[in-house]
Amino acid sequence: MPIVGIDNLPISKELEKASLPQKCVMFFGQEGAGMSAEAVEVCTEVLAIRQYGSTRSMNASAAGAIAMFAWAQQHRPVE
């Protein structure tokens, strides 16, 4: 199963423009420290949540909610 890292690293692509796999694991780094080099290595891709201003990172639960919402926008059943 693909592992999608969520962290704002130089190699990250924009979450808002990404096509997320229907079945995947999302991997979030620690608040402040982010993802380790080993964690980045196991990821199929690493995505970043676009932020405005001088914020380096955001709360991990907020990042999780945003990433899961982005996934749901692409894969939720159409009613």
Side-chain angles (χ1 to χ4, degrees):
M1 187 169 303
I3 300 173
V4 178
I6 308 292
D7 200 349
N8 56 352
L9 301 170
I11 64 163
S12 298
K13 298 173 188 167
E14 291 184 34
L15 170 66
E16 296 80 8
K17 295 179 181 178
S19 178
L20 295 165
Q22 184 169 11
K23 292 185 178 186
C24 65
V25 173
M26 290 187 183
F27 189 108
F28 298 87
Q30 295 179 355
E31 292 177 26
M35 294 175 65
S36 68
E38 294 83 6
V40 172
E41 243 180 71
V42 301
C43 292
T44 306
E45 64 182 329
V46 180
L47 304 174
I49 299 167
R50 189 177 343 165
Q51 299 178 65
Y52 299 96
S54 61
T55 305
R56 156 62 182 107
S57 65
M58 67 174 61
N59 177 279
S61 61
I66 292 167
M68 287 184 274
F69 179 77
W71 181 91
Q73 289 291 96
Q74 293 179 27
H75 299 293
R76 69 179 175 199
V78 178
E79 295 179 16

